[in-house]
Amino acid sequence: MKILTCISLLIFLSTPLVKSQETILCKQFTTETKKAFTAKQKSINIDRKIDINYYRIELHIDAKYKYIEGKVTAYFKTTDSLNKAIFDMSNHLQIDSVFFQNRFQTSFLHTNNLVEIKLDHPLSSNTYDSIQIVYSGIPLSTGFGSFVQDSYNEQDSIIWTLSQPYGAMEWWPCQNNLYDKADSVDLIITSPLNQIAAANGLLKKIDTLNNEHRFHWKTNYPIATYLIAFTVTNYELFEENYQLNNQNLLMQHFMYPDDSINLNRSKNTTLPFLAFFDSLFGEYPFIQEKYGHASFTFGGGMEHQTLSFMGNYGGGLIAHELAHQWFGNKVTCGSWQDLWLNEGFATYLTLLTYEFGILHHPFYYDAYLKHIRQTSFSHPFQSVYRYDTSTVDTLFNHLTYQKGAASLHMLRWLTGDSAFFQGVRNYLNDSSLAYGFAKTVDLQRHLEKSSGIQLDEFFKDWVYGKGFPTYTLLWSQTNNQLEIEIQQNQSDPSVYFFNMPIPIQLKGANIDTSIILNPRFSGDQFNININEAIDSILFDPKKWILAKSDVISGLKKETNHEAKVILYPNPTKYQLNIELNYDVKIKTIQLMSINGNVISEQNYQSIIDVSHLNSGKYFINLISKEANYIYPFVRLKD
Ligand SMILES: [Zn+2]
């Protein structure tokens, strides 16, 4: 998904009608919501001993009222002997009746957002059966909304659902997990005559009842619980048929009435992105059913399977939600810790539309990449892999989106275009992952196989490890000897050294060439024979690597600093910690400006307060009897 618009970070104009907004999350959570959220999160991934085959979800919805009447029948196969069936279901919904094998069940317990139904005769393992729950109530809106009753113009009412990550149980009894997809779902919604219900899959039929329509939606593709959704309002429906590789794809646009501007954006933008992703990552995963957009009252979008809900029709948002149909819907993250497999890819595919000039002008590629890097740099102490999945804030943020995308960009640099895209296609088509779930190790395995490169260290540093490196490249040239030293500091001590080959561009009056240096430790030195005079050196000119860097020429260097001194955190706001090798004895410490002027001097201490400095770049000079150890460091803004 793409999240609530609170602060617009950048706006790109590409085609005259296509505007992309990159947004960040700033939804506030009350303590109570957080508690409820944590409780729900804990109940996820508990083995219920049932494998869902099919849900029949029958709902009565009037967009004017925040209220639901429902009948959900879950068809399942037992994976073990079963005497008690458990479903996720909010305490705010009231159960009217429960049926098992067409018999009314009186013995059920509805508490802690769970329904426990004691079966009047136990089922043995590998048995097919079903349970029906009839219910009603006023659903809570948690997370990103779950179940929202709203109006899009202060007049026309709308109800929409957005269940990611833990909200499905707010409006229907379900198995909300990331290991079992329903093989098929019927979503049957009865609403007043002037309202249209849009949902996953194909609209099989519309029955007209007395004063109501009944919309019968059906999907035959496996679907994760959080991707099942509907929206109801007075939509106008526009349909088209796209030709994709000689296959027909139905495209549906569920638009607010008279919204021709957004309809045109939706119509003009979707097919070029579809064709592009299809060419890079394989056939659109739900080609037998449809792709669609439905307008809803949310600041971003949500990639419900076969039908993205759209808060606007910017090109970036359309690309992002469409990309999720491959990354998120066909292959779904196998835990919320692995959410970057959804969001990092969706963000990266949007970057690719800039790089390849698909509707977005390639001119804006650099700006979009810069945005990805800058937002990643704003989290120096956190990882792409989310150890804390307790709130939407800890999940849907710059780490899973932008830093996830930056990690994919580095994997592409490490493995090369051909192996990277082949490995990603293999990941999408792996029969154990396709239309199922994947974890970070699955992506690693496929990229290792396609590239022949061992990626343990990469994933340990850049995905599971926290922060990013800051490099300092020191160089000097004497005749035909070019000496380069590469130092590295880490923003977070969880990573000792980020391993990464670095592209370096050498420029002079008669030379402009690129080399790749692969430092093994901070302070690693390289001597290069070169006959031309070098005027300047560029560190990673195409910005493959998520790192800050400085290039300094002609500085006197001490050899092998890192073996003797470790400095962290860097960048820092408040203090620098210094760890010395046993044989180093520092007497005096100087803080120096970037021009080399001494700002202050003090006796050695292992913790140096830098909070009084203005934000910016500085040097710290550690003076021993034998040598001066000079390091750059960055004082962050408060
Ligand atoms: Zn997304």
Side-chain angles (χ1 to χ4, degrees):
M1 69 177 309
K2 194 115 167 237
I3 32 197
L4 280 176
T5 308
C6 290
I7 302 166
S8 181
L9 291 180
L10 65 129
I11 295 174
F12 296 135
L13 286 171
S14 41
T15 65
L17 288 177
V18 180
K19 192 166 73 173
S20 155
Q21 282 189 310
E22 193 65 27
T23 57
I24 65 162
L25 176 75
C26 55
K27 191 174 166 70
Q28 296 300 312
F29 266 75
T30 63
T31 311
E32 196 176 331
T33 315
K34 272 186 179 162
K35 269 190 215 153
F37 208 75
T38 309
K40 279 167 224 160
Q41 177 222 350
K42 278 183 185 156
S43 79
I44 211 165
N45 285 351
I46 296 170
D47 184 6
R48 306 273 173 79
K49 300 178 182 173
I50 62 177
D51 175 0
I52 293 289
N53 303 123
Y54 162 67
Y55 287 118
R56 184 179 174 87
I57 304 170
E58 297 168 79
L59 305 175
H60 203 164
I61 298 289
D62 183 341
K64 286 199 179 108
Y65 306 104
K66 186 168 190 185
Y67 185 73
I68 192 168
E69 286 175 359
K71 181 165 78 177
V72 170
T73 315
Y75 291 75
F76 56 85
K77 186 178 84 170
T78 57
T79 59
D80 201 342
S81 57
L82 190 76
N83 54 20
K84 186 172 68 177
I86 301 175
F87 288 82
D88 299 287
M89 187 177 189
S90 167
N91 292 347
H92 287 261
L93 299 173
Q94 286 80 49
I95 296 179
D96 299 316
S97 49
V98 174
F99 294 90
F100 171 56
Q101 296 179 341
N102 293 322
R103 291 193 304 279
F104 183 70
Q105 303 290 301
T106 51
S107 182
F108 62 84
L109 186 66
H110 187 190
T111 180
N112 293 327
N113 298 317
L114 295 172
V115 197
E116 292 186 13
I117 301 155
K118 195 165 185 317
L119 305 182
D120 55 9
H121 73 88
L123 297 173
S124 55
S125 187
N126 289 317
T127 308
Y128 288 88
D129 219 312
S130 67
I131 283 177
Q132 186 176 79
I133 299 175
V134 183
Y135 65 101
S136 60
I138 303 171
L140 273 193
S141 296
T142 60
F144 289 116
S146 315
F147 182 101
V148 171
Q149 196 274 332
D150 201 355
S151 93
Y152 59 83
N153 55 6
E154 297 182 353
Q155 183 183 330
D156 292 296
S157 301
I158 181 171
I159 283 181
W160 50 263
T161 67
L162 197 173
S163 299
Q164 193 184 29
Y166 308 120
M169 60 128 200
E170 302 294 356
W171 60 276
W172 65 290
C174 58
Q175 301 291 328
N176 190 23
N177 61 52
L178 291 176
Y179 58 80
D180 179 25
K181 291 187 179 183
D183 304 313
S184 63
V185 174
D186 278 279
L187 200 47
I188 300 159
I189 299 165
T190 305
S191 292
L193 285 177
N194 62 340
Q195 298 175 17
I196 288 183
N200 313 100
L202 283 175
L203 182 56
K204 289 298 188 185
K205 60 174 179 170
I206 306 172
D207 298 323
T208 303
L209 312 172
N210 287 336
N211 292 314
E212 293 174 317
H213 279 140
R214 185 165 60 205
F215 297 85
H216 190 144
W217 288 91
K218 182 173 188 67
T219 180
N220 281 314
Y221 285 102
I223 184 167
T225 300
Y226 79 86
L227 291 167
I228 296 171
F230 72 88
T231 170
V232 175
T233 188
N234 57 342
Y235 285 121
E236 288 178 350
L237 169 60
F238 300 88
E239 292 189 337
E240 299 175 276
N241 283 297
Y242 291 159
Q243 294 302 310
L244 264 182
N245 294 327
N246 298 322
Q247 290 228 64
N248 193 60
L249 173 64
L250 173 65
M251 177 74 201
Q252 293 183 318
H253 313 263
F254 289 89
M255 311 301 297
Y256 299 145
D258 305 319
D259 191 5
S260 58
I261 291 176
N262 281 324
L263 174 63
N264 284 331
R265 286 176 174 163
S266 182
K267 278 184 160 181
N268 295 338
T269 310
T270 312
L271 182 58
F273 290 146
L274 257 169
F276 175 59
F277 294 155
D278 183 282
S279 70
L280 269 183
F281 300 108
E283 184 175 81
Y284 171 70
F286 310 102
I287 190 118
Q288 300 301 325
E289 294 184 350
K290 71 160 192 298
Y291 187 57
H293 288 146
S295 299
F296 77 147
T297 54
F298 182 74
M302 176 64 206
E303 69 276 15
H304 295 123
Q305 193 161 300
T306 72
L307 181 66
S308 291
F309 289 8
M310 307 298 287
N312 66 68
Y313 288 84
L317 189 65
I318 287 176
H320 181 103
E321 305 309 341
L322 178 61
H324 274 309
Q325 303 300 321
W326 284 262
F327 300 95
N329 299 0
K330 179 181 182 184
V331 175
T332 306
C333 59
S335 78
W336 295 117
Q337 281 89 345
D338 295 285
L339 179 63
W340 78 284
L341 295 174
N342 292 11
E343 299 302 347
F345 267 113
T347 307
Y348 193 58
L349 265 64
T350 307
L351 179 70
L352 292 177
T353 65
Y354 286 93
E355 180 181 343
F356 287 82
I358 311 301
L359 288 182
H360 295 121
H361 197 291
F363 176 78
Y364 294 105
Y365 169 78
D366 287 343
Y368 195 78
L369 180 60
K370 186 177 179 187
H371 162 70
I372 285 175
R373 292 166 60 81
Q374 293 302 326
T375 46
S376 301
F377 289 146
S378 64
H379 300 273
F381 311 117
Q382 293 197 59
S383 59
V384 171
Y385 187 82
R386 302 311 298 146
Y387 297 97
D388 177 0
T389 59
S390 58
T391 73
V392 290
D393 295 340
T394 61
L395 285 172
F396 298 89
N397 54 33
H398 295 143
L399 295 151
T400 48
Y401 286 65
Q402 282 82 9
K403 198 178 175 197
S407 301
L408 292 167
H409 199 50
M410 285 188 282
L411 281 164
R412 183 175 157 202
W413 158 248
L414 265 180
T415 58
D417 274 15
S418 166
F420 175 77
F421 287 109
Q422 190 57 53
V424 172
R425 277 192 292 272
N426 294 346
Y427 160 85
L428 285 168
N429 292 327
D430 181 332
S431 60
S432 68
L433 309 177
Y435 300 99
F437 300 92
K439 297 197 170 179
T440 301
V441 289
D442 297 311
L443 179 66
Q444 180 182 339
R445 186 177 69 249
H446 278 291
L447 290 173
E448 284 182 344
K449 199 165 175 208
S450 65
S451 68
I453 296 172
Q454 235 279 343
L455 295 169
D456 267 349
E457 185 72 30
F458 176 88
F459 280 88
K460 184 166 77 69
D461 293 349
W462 297 92
V463 177
Y464 302 111
K466 297 171 184 172
F468 52 85
T470 298
Y471 288 96
T472 306
L473 185 151
L474 303 157
W475 69 276
S476 60
Q477 187 176 23
T478 312
N479 301 323
N480 62 351
Q481 278 298 307
L482 178 66
E483 279 185 61
I484 294 178
E485 177 176 321
I486 297 178
Q487 300 175 355
Q488 185 196 92
N489 284 297
Q490 301 77 31
S491 67
D492 185 277
S494 66
V495 179
Y496 177 71
F497 183 76
F498 287 89
N499 276 297
M500 183 59 69
I502 298 163
I504 307 279
Q505 190 176 359
L506 310 175
K507 292 172 93 167
N510 300 315
I511 188 168
D512 185 348
T513 190
S514 291
I515 57 173
I516 295 171
L517 299 179
N518 198 353
R520 298 152 297 169
F521 51 86
S522 180
D524 207 356
Q525 296 184 337
F526 304 86
N527 287 308
I528 299 152
N529 256 320
I530 199 152
N531 291 324
E532 302 291 344
I534 302 300
D535 299 327
S536 65
I537 291 185
L538 298 178
F539 182 97
D540 184 22
K542 291 186 177 165
K543 303 293 178 216
W544 283 105
I545 300 161
L546 183 65
K548 297 184 177 180
S549 62
D550 268 328
V551 175
I552 299 171
S553 69
L555 264 198
K556 184 177 176 295
K557 294 168 288 178
E558 295 299 330
T559 55
N560 203 8
H561 293 165
E562 184 66 16
K564 295 186 181 296
V565 179
I566 297 171
L567 199 66
Y568 68 93
N570 188 6
T572 182
K573 269 188 195 171
Y574 308 111
Q575 63 185 41
L576 282 168
N577 299 291
I578 301 168
E579 277 181 28
L580 300 177
N581 205 339
Y582 68 94
D583 63 352
V584 178
K585 298 276 183 287
I586 300 295
K587 286 191 132 185
T588 309
I589 290 178
Q590 291 178 333
L591 297 180
M592 294 158 62
S593 73
I594 194 72
N595 303 321
N597 298 323
V598 176
I599 297 167
S600 64
E601 187 172 306
Q602 64 180 95
N603 290 334
Y604 173 75
Q605 286 179 320
S606 62
I607 297 174
I608 305 298
D609 178 17
V610 296
S611 61
H612 59 287
L613 298 175
N614 293 327
S615 63
K617 290 178 187 169
Y618 297 88
F619 288 105
I620 184 165
N621 185 11
L622 310 174
I623 304 170
S624 75
K625 257 189 188 168
E626 298 77 26
N628 287 5
Y629 302 95
I630 300 177
Y631 294 92
F633 74 92
V634 174
R635 164 71 164 87
L636 290 171
K637 284 200 184 91
D638 286 320

